Structures are given as structure tokens and as C-alpha cells.
């Protein structure tokens, strides 16, 4: 029914809103933690969304035909849990376990709950995820489901929210509804615009229609003026109540008052059923149809091999989707774009939004997503990447132009921190391929590896060193150069493998033989292979990397051999903020080229000779 025509229906919605308040207060008071006033301002919005507007199957919250709901203001989690009590999916008694160490109801929503697609709580990220879901619904699934996102007004100060708004309007995501809970207050202070948001929001950024049921081709934004703490008389519209569970006696009083507003004879509401028009999708068993076609000695940059691999994977898998942020002719994702334009999403220069859109596209296993930009620019989206890891989101990110080998552009565009960033994330996988063959294998393996995968690619051409039938696995290193009396094990990845090989050839003329290991994945690191070979070279290991010292390959190796005795580990990495120049000049200046490697090997051997 249209709202307002059926008074018993309206009363039933009001009852749900007040029960949401009661349950949110009950849960947060029991936990001694949480944000009851932030829940109270969204009570009516959520009861209307969940029992009037959204179409979904309450017994199957993750059905791909359901409308989606993202609680961007994740700290109102108890309000969300209370709604799923109303639908019957959770038991009311579950709420009393909120935030307990053995409960699946955490302080902020997580995908441990089937009705949560991505973790929220770091504010400003939900709308970008919703954009990825809405883009998928409109352009890939071509289905009826709609996407609803609830935001706080304090959260609206995040630039990432406005990145998402621009994306939604540019792509005419008319299946997306953003509801802004304008409750005037943030945490320590009022939100900057308080209740006076229309002028600013509408004229500056938005061009949306504001009624739910009129035809349009634009996303919808609903500016809902609400009262923070509504229903808790002492806290209504007051500063100083954010993030405060009510004391027990106060909670009792408030709940009693709220209970008295609930009519007993009201009808039971059921959400409308979804339209079952989404296609089934399988992302299992995705693989390349054939081996790489590169020949040893041919030259190709790993960034280009990445683009070629994506295009090839996309030829055989309809659900491979590629995102980029106005760098597709740098990351080489344009090779995919040219071949599969309908599955390429231009996210423009908004990397934070790109990462959340990727998460939205990947949600409910609808797409196999790859997103690329320069390695350096992923640093600005680290919070989003961190939240993707917490969400156990299956997204693949590719950072090109890593390290000094970026050359002339100078340090602004050199990714020299990216390995540290991704290594710090639990369960992330880092591929750092060294040629075209291993890059194609990295793309194929990333496609089937769960969680956040990162592929680190480089700008300039390098020789193919692997045979096309070489088998690659996550966590399996390759020994690319060895002889029976090797004296030092050199561990190097990416472009530096080629420097290490050149150093090895050079040292051979001096009758010094070294072994070269290409780890292929930096995380997980094949420490067994490294240790086994290092033992053969009497514990002498040299790591070399096109990355800062902190958090890169050298630290990964040194922390892995911490318990080994008799190891002599040396590290070469970038220790200064670099400058512009030709890649080979920079690698020489900062001490990670073939000469530096040869010199370090000689030094290791002479100091161990002296020690004898
Ligand atoms: C990125 C980020 N910064 C800060 C916080 C801490 N924090 C949690 S809630 C909140 C205030 C949110 O205000 P608003 O979005 O208006 O939501 P309300 O609680 O008023 O509904 C803050 C600052 C956070 N969770 N995420
Ligand atoms: C807003 O929408 C109107 C009507 O569709 C259109 O004429 C106008 O150009 C739009 N403005 C912006 C800033 O997009
Ligand atoms: C990328 O595109 C720009 C503009 O078309 C062009 O000038 C530039 O040479 C291209 N870069 C590469 C690496 O192809
Ligand atoms: C080192 O030894 C400790 C104690 O046995 C063990 O807990 C730890 O996992 C080991 N670390 C590595 C990297 O092998």
C-alpha cells in the first residue's frame, strides 16, 4: 500500500520503529557499549525500508535477487540487528549477546551475518560499495533488485561519500537510493551543516529527484531530517550522548515509555518478495583456456602482460569485470577495455571509491573483479583496502609503476610502500611477477584465490624468463639460476630478478657463483625454498627489492628466518626518497642494480672469509 493510506499499516510500522529503539537500548545497555542515540534516529527510516520499501526474502538474506541494504553508519549496528529480529531471522535473545567475545553480533556489522555484505564502521565507505552493487544490478545482472544505503550526516564530510555520489550520478544508477540521516549531531560536535543541508547538498553536488516512486534515470537521495536520540527524552537532540549506553535504570524507564506507545492489536508485516530475475553466476573453476604464448627472450613489461592476461581471461569468463581510475593506458587495463568495453568500469580519479565499488561488484559472488591504478595511488585507499580485508571481500587489485623503475616521473608516482601496506593485511596475497609468463599465471591464480589479492607490476620491458608450461602456485618460489657450488642465495622479485640474473652472470666470470630465487608471491612467502637453498649457500642470503626497506621483501625474509641459526642475511632496498631519472640510473644511485648486487655478494664473501 502507499504509505499514509492505511492507518493500521502505518501503526504497525511505528510499532516496529519503537521496538527497534527498545531492542537497540536493551542490547547496548546489556553490552555496556554502543550507540543507542544513533540507532534511535534511524528507527522510522529502517522500519519503512525493511517492511514497506525493500523486496527480499527474510529467510535467505543473501539471495542474489534481494534488494540490498548497506548500513554505512555502521555504528548503528544494533538497529540493523533489531530489524533482523523483526524479520524473524535473528532471535530477540541474540541481541543480549551484543559485543560479547563469543557472539556473532559485533559492535559494527560484519559479513559473519548473512544479512551483511561488507563490514562498515569506518565511516564514509558504504555508499561506494552500494554503487558497485547498483552498477552490477543495472549493467551486469540487468535485474530488478535495488540498493539502499543509509548514511549519517557526520559521515557526509568524508570525501569518499562525494566520490560515490559523482559515480552514482555519472552512471545514472537509478536503482540506488541513498538515505541521509540528518540528525544534526556527530560525535564531539554538531555536523557542520546541522539541519540546514538542502541548499549545500542539492545545489552543490546533487541532481536527484527526491520522491521514491517517480520515474527517473538518476540515483535517489533522501535527505531525512531526524532527531538524534529520538525516544530517549534526556538525550533527544543533545550533544554528549554519542556512544553512550544508557545506565540500567534509565534504560528501564525509557523502554517502558516506548513500550507504552506500541499498540498490541497491530497486524504482522512481511516484506514484499523480490522479483527473481537475476541470472545465476558461477565464479568457480575459472582458469585460462591455454598456456601463455610468450617465448623466452621476448620482451614485455609486466603491466602489459597484466592487461593481456585480463583480456584473455575475460574472453572465456563473462563475469570478469575490470575497474580503473583514469590510468588504463598506464596500468594497461585498456587492453581489456578495448576487447570487452561493456565489462570495463571507468572510476575516474577517485581511488577510494574505486576500491569500494570493486567490493560492491564482488559482493554475493556476482563478479570476478580486478581494479588497477598506479601502485602509489592505492596508498590513499588503504582504509578501504583494510575494510575489504576485514570483509573478506574477493577483490583483485593491481598496482603498476612500482618502485624506482618508474623512472622519469619521479617519487610522486613511484609505489615504494605498497608491499608493506599489503603485507600488513591478514590473509592478503601479494603477487610480484617478474615476466610475462608469471604475470599471466598471477592473474589466473588471483582469479581463484580468496580474499584481497594484490598484483605488483612494473613499467618497463623485461625479458621472458619462464617457459610457457611452467607451473606456478601461490606460495611457491622459483629457483631461476643455480649451480652446484653456489655461495650466496639472492632473493629478488619483479624487475630485480633481471638485475640479479645479470649480476650472477657477471660474478660467474669472477668464479663466484650465486643462486637466484624469485619468490613469485611475497605473501605468502615460500620460506621453505628460501631456507633450504640458503643452507646450501651456508646461510648466506641477500635480498634485493625495488621498495623501501621497511615492510618489504627483505623484512619478510628476515622475519621468516628469525629462528634459524647460522644465517647471514643482507638486504638491499631503497633508503632515500628518490628523484627523477632513467630507471637504470636510479637503480644504480639507490643501490639495487646488478652492480650493487655483485658488490654486496663480494662483500658478504670477503667478510665471511675474514671471519674464518
Ligand atoms: C572514518 C571514521 N572516523 C571517525 C569515526 C568515529 N565515529 C564513530 S560515529 C562518529 C560520529 C558519526 O556521526 P554521524 O555520521 O552523524 O552519525 P550519527 O551517530 O549521528 O548517526 C564518529 C566520529 C569512525 N567510525 N570512522
Ligand atoms: C540537472 O537536471 C536537469 C534536468 O534533467 C538538467 O537540465 C541539468 O543540466 C542537470 N544539472 C546538472 C548540474 O547536472
Ligand atoms: C596515454 O594516453 C595519452 C593521451 O591519449 C597519450 O598521450 C599517452 O601517450 C598514452 N600513454 C601510453 C603509455 O600509452
Ligand atoms: C620461531 O619460534 C617460535 C617458538 O618456537 C615459534 O612460535 C615461531 O612461530 C617461530 N617463527 C618462525 C617464523 O618460524
Amino acid at each position: 500500500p502507499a504509505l499514509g493510506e492505511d492507518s493500521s499499516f502505518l501503526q504497525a510500522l511505528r510499532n516496529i520503529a519503537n521496538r527497534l529503539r527498545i531492542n537497540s537500548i536493551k542490547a547496548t545497555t546489556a553490552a555496556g557499549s554502543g550507540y543507542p542515540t544513533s540507532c534511535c534516529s534511524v528507527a522510522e527510516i529502517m522500519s519503512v525500508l525493511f517492511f514497506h520499501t525493500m523486496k527480499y526474502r527474510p529467510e535467505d538474506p543473501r539471495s542474489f535477487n534481494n534488494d540490498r541494504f548497506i548500513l554505512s553508519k555502521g555504528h548503528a549496528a544494533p538497529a540493523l540487528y533489531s530489524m533482523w529480529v523483526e524479520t524473524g531471522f535473528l532471535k530477540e535473545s541474540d541481541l543480549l549477546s551484543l559485543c560479547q567475545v563469543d557472539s556473532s553480533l559485533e559492535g559494527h556489522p560484519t559479513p559473519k551475518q548473512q544479512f551483511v555484505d561488507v563490514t562498515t564502521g569506518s565511516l564514509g565507505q558504504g555508499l561506494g560499495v552500494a554503487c558497485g552493487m547498483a552498477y552490477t544490478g543495472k549493467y551486469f545482472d540487468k535485474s530488478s533488485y535495488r540498493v539502499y544505503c543509509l548514511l549519517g550526516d557526520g559521515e557526509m564530510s568524508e570525501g569518499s561519500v562525494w566520490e560515490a555520489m559523482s559515480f552514482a550520478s555519472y552512471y545514472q544508477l537509478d536503482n540506488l537510493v541513498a538515505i541521509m540521516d540528518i540528525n544534526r549531531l556527530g560525535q564531539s560536535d554538531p555536523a557542520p551543516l546541522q539541519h540546514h543541508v538542502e541548499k549545500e547538498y542539492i545545489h552543490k553536488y546533487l541532481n536527484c529527484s527526491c520522491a521514491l516512486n517517480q520515474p527517473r534515470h538518476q540515483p535517489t537521495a533522501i535527505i531525512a531530517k531526524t532527531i538524534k536520540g529520538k525516544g530517549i527524552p534526556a538525550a533527544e537532540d543533545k550533544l554528549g550522548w554519542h556512544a553512550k549506553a544508557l545506565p540500567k535504570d534509565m534504560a528501564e524507564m525509557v523502554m517502558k515509555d516506548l513500550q507504552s506507545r506500541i499498540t498490541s492489536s497491530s497486524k504482522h508485516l512481511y516484506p514484499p518478495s523480490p522479483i527473481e530475475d537475476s541470472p545465476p553466476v558461477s565464479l568457480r573453476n575459472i582458469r585460462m583456456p591455454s598456456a601463455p604464448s610468450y617465448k623466452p627472450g621476448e620482451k614485455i613489461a609486466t603491466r602489459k602482460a597484466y592487461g593481456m592476461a585480463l583480456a584473455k581471461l575475460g574472453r572465456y569468463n563473462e563475469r570478469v569485470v575490470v575497474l580503473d581510475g583514469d590510468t588504463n593506458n598506464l596500468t594497461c587495463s585498456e587492453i581489456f577495455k578495448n576487447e570487452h568495453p561493456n565489462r570495463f568500469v571507468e572510476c575516474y580519479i577517485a581511488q577510494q571509491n574505486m576500491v569500494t565499488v570493486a567490493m560492491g561488484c564482488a559482493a554475493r559472488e556476482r563478479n570476478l573483479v580486478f581494479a588497477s591504478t598506479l601502485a602509489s595511488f592505492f596508498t590513499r585507499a588503504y582504509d578501504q583496502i583494510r575494510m575489504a580485508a576485514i570483509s573478506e571481500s574477493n577483490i583483485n587489485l593491481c598496482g603498476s609503476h612500482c618502485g624506482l623503475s618508474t623512472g622519469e616521473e619521479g617519487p610522486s608516482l613511484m609505489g615504494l610502500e605498497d608491499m608493506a601496506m599489503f603485507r600488513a593485511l591478514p590473509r592478503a596475497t601479494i603477487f610480484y611477477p617478474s615476466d610475462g609468463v608469471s604475470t599471466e599465471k598471477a592473474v589466473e591464480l588471483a582469479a581463484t584465490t580468496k580474499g584481497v589479492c594484490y598484483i605488483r607490476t612494473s613499467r618497463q620491458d623485461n625479458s621472458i624468463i619462464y617457459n610457457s608450461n611452467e607451473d606456478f602456485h601461490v606460495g611457491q618460489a622459483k629457483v631461476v639460476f643455480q649451480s652446484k657450488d653456489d655461495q650466496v642465495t639472492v632473493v629478488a622479485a619483479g624487475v630485480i630478478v633481471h638485475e640479479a640474473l645479470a649480476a650472477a652472470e657477471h660474478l660467474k666470470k669472477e668464479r663466484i657463483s650465486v643462486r637466484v630465487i624469485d619468490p613469485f608471491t611475497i605473501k605468502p612467502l615460500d620460506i621453505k625454498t628460501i631456507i633450504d637453498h640458503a643452507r646450501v649457500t651456508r646461510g648466506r642470503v641477500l635480498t634485493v627489492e625495488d621498495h623501501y626497506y621497511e615492510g618489504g621483501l627483505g623484512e619478510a625474509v628476515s622475519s621468516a628466518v628469525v629462528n634459524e641459526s647460522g644465517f647471514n642475511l643482507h638486504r638491499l632496498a631503497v633508503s632515500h626518497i628518490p628523484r627523477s631519472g632513467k630507471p637504470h640510473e636510479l637503480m644504480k644511485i639507490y643501490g639495487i642494480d646488478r652492480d650493487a648486487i655483485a658488490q654486496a655478494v663480494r662483500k658478504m664473501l670477503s667478510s665471511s672469509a675474514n671471519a674464518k
Side-chain angles (χ1 to χ4, degrees):
L3 279 178
E5 281 169 15
D6 177 344
S7 62
S8 68
F9 182 72
L10 265 182
Q11 185 56 42
L13 289 175
R14 281 195 199 102
N15 290 347
I16 290 171
N18 281 322
R19 276 202 299 272
L20 178 153
R21 292 192 169 94
I22 291 171
N23 280 329
S24 299
I25 292 167
K26 199 187 282 176
T28 50
T29 293
S33 169
Y35 303 78
T37 58
S38 305
C39 297
C40 286
S41 64
V42 295
E44 281 76 16
I45 295 171
M46 289 186 68
S47 81
V48 170
L49 278 176
F50 275 74
F51 289 95
H52 171 263
T53 309
M54 292 201 303
K55 300 185 175 72
Y56 63 104
R57 292 196 177 288
E59 72 289 355
D60 183 11
R62 238 171 233 171
S63 160
F64 50 78
N65 289 304
N66 286 352
D67 285 348
R68 274 63 161 165
F69 176 74
I70 306 278
L71 182 65
S72 189
K73 46 171 273 184
H75 55 286
L80 180 66
Y81 304 152
S82 300
M83 275 297 102
W84 287 95
V85 168
E86 293 297 322
T87 67
F89 189 78
L90 293 179
K91 294 198 298 286
E92 196 171 314
S93 57
D94 293 343
L95 294 173
L96 294 174
S97 73
L98 176 71
C99 296
Q100 283 177 20
V101 75
D102 54 355
S103 169
S104 61
L105 298 179
E106 299 202 52
H108 292 85
T110 77
K112 283 176 196 153
Q113 292 297 346
Q114 287 201 34
F115 50 81
V116 176
D117 289 293
V118 298
T119 305
T120 51
S122 177
L123 293 168
Q125 303 192 19
L127 192 59
V129 175
C131 282
M133 292 173 158
Y135 193 101
T136 295
K138 179 165 177 166
Y139 296 106
F140 301 140
D141 288 343
K142 301 184 172 67
S143 305
S144 314
Y145 66 80
R146 296 169 65 76
V147 184
Y148 297 85
C149 180
L150 180 53
L151 300 97
D153 51 353
E155 172 181 31
M156 298 288 296
S157 290
E158 289 283 4
S160 51
V161 174
W162 299 99
E163 291 183 6
M165 297 257 190
S166 305
F167 182 96
S169 107
Y170 181 77
Y171 286 110
Q172 305 197 322
L173 301 180
D174 48 7
N175 53 350
L176 174 69
V177 182
I179 302 116
M180 299 159 196
D181 174 38
I182 309 295
N183 65 17
R184 193 180 76 84
L185 302 175
Q187 172 154 326
S188 329
D189 281 303
L193 300 172
Q194 303 213 19
H195 270 136
H196 316 290
V197 295
E198 292 95 331
K199 207 169 163 211
E200 193 86 8
Y201 285 2
I202 294 173
H203 297 303
K204 216 160 148 196
Y205 298 101
L206 296 175
N207 200 357
C208 299
S209 63
C210 284
L212 265 175
N213 295 319
Q214 73 190 58
R216 59 190 125 37
H217 300 289
Q218 283 297 331
T220 303
I222 297 177
I223 296 172
K225 284 189 192 166
T226 59
I227 293 173
K228 191 152 172 172
K230 176 83 179 165
I232 308 171
E236 279 187 9
D237 200 33
K238 293 223 168 49
L239 274 175
W241 280 96
H242 183 82
K244 284 208 172 84
L246 307 191
K248 228 173 160 164
D249 47 349
M250 180 181 178
E252 293 298 339
M253 230 162 65
V254 173
M255 290 193 291
K256 213 167 134 196
D257 175 47
L258 288 166
Q259 189 63 48
S260 73
R261 301 186 204 176
I262 295 174
T263 53
S264 54
S265 63
S266 92
K267 55 171 150 190
H268 194 79
L269 301 185
Y270 296 94
S273 292
I275 300 162
E276 313 251 331
D277 60 358
S278 292
V281 168
S282 173
L283 302 181
R284 271 170 247 279
N285 300 320
I286 285 183
R287 56 174 64 98
M288 289 289 186
S290 58
S293 53
Y294 303 109
K295 307 266 177 310
E298 263 177 33
K299 284 192 156 210
I300 187 170
T302 50
R303 61 170 168 152
K304 188 163 177 200
Y306 167 76
M308 308 269 281
L310 286 184
K312 182 172 171 182
L313 195 66
R315 237 169 271 154
Y316 298 89
N317 300 283
E318 277 299 305
R319 284 290 174 152
V320 174
V321 162
V322 173
L323 282 57
D324 203 297
D326 198 24
T327 51
N328 67 65
N329 80 342
L330 301 176
T331 62
C332 297
S333 66
E334 73 175 348
I335 300 169
F336 179 94
K337 177 188 170 182
N338 291 339
E339 200 174 318
H340 313 285
N342 296 337
R343 285 185 275 143
F344 179 84
V345 186
E346 178 54 73
C347 295
Y348 297 99
I349 307 169
Q351 293 81 10
Q352 300 180 25
N353 188 57
M354 178 172 78
V355 171
T356 51
V357 169
M359 290 163 70
C361 289
R364 300 195 191 187
E365 298 190 40
R366 299 312 287 164
N367 298 297
L368 175 54
V369 185
F370 288 82
S372 49
T373 183
L374 304 205
S376 48
F377 304 147
F378 274 119
T379 54
R380 76 192 294 141
Y382 194 41
D383 189 12
Q384 280 76 5
I385 296 168
R386 184 183 71 86
M387 293 296 280
I390 296 173
S391 301
E392 298 185 48
S393 190
N394 294 320
I395 58 170
N396 304 298
L397 305 176
C398 172
S400 70
H401 294 62
C402 70
L404 295 179
S405 41
T406 296
E408 292 82 346
E409 307 271 11
S412 314
L413 299 201
M414 292 171 179
L416 283 157
E417 317 80 359
D418 53 328
M419 285 201 279
M421 188 165 88
F422 284 94
R423 273 189 65 224
L425 297 175
R427 281 185 272 189
T429 304
I430 304 176
F431 296 91
Y432 188 6
S434 55
D435 78 343
V437 172
S438 52
T439 303
E440 185 169 322
K441 294 292 183 176
V443 168
E444 183 178 21
L445 287 166
T448 51
T449 301
K450 295 270 179 223
V452 174
C453 290
Y454 177 62
I455 304 174
R456 188 176 206 238
T457 65
S458 304
R459 181 181 182 189
Q460 85 270 29
D461 287 348
N462 274 123
S463 301
I464 299 293
I465 55 174
Y466 292 109
N467 285 319
S468 57
N469 58 4
E470 182 84 35
D471 209 16
F472 283 84
H473 298 280
V474 170
Q476 191 184 85
K478 298 287 175 190
V479 180
V480 291
F481 196 89
Q482 67 178 326
S483 67
K484 68 175 181 350
D485 35 42
D486 290 334
Q487 294 168 279
V488 176
T489 297
V490 179
V491 184
V495 295
I496 306 294
V497 170
H498 303 270
E499 296 301 314
L501 288 172
E505 292 289 358
H506 185 86
L507 288 166
K508 221 156 102 180
K509 295 184 198 133
E510 299 172 24
R511 295 172 172 275
I512 298 173
S513 48
V514 298
R515 194 159 287 202
V516 179
I517 295 181
D518 172 4
F520 179 57
T521 56
I522 306 300
K523 183 183 174 128
L525 187 67
D526 182 358
I527 199 59
K528 182 175 184 315
T529 296
I530 293 171
I531 289 176
D532 288 351
H533 287 271
R535 283 202 197 294
V536 177
T537 59
R538 303 183 185 204
R540 284 186 288 256
V541 187
L542 174 66
T543 66
V544 198
E545 63 198 299
D546 195 0
H547 186 275
Y548 289 133
Y549 271 96
E550 290 77 9
L553 173 62
E555 283 197 355
V557 172
S558 57
S559 62
V561 301
V562 66
N563 291 340
E564 306 297 321
S565 56
F567 270 66
N568 175 9
L569 176 73
H570 280 256
R571 304 197 277 134
L572 297 178
V574 181
S575 58
H576 293 83
I577 293 172
R579 47 159 301 111
S580 289
K582 299 251 180 301
H584 71 271
E585 295 170 330
L586 296 176
M587 292 204 286
K588 181 180 272 317
I589 293 172
Y590 298 100
I592 56 169
D593 71 342
R594 54 196 68 188
D595 296 339
I597 294 169
Q599 192 51 36
V601 167
R602 288 185 204 107
K603 210 170 137 198
M604 285 174 85
L605 293 175
S606 72
S607 63
S608 61
N610 291 343
K612 269 179 200 156

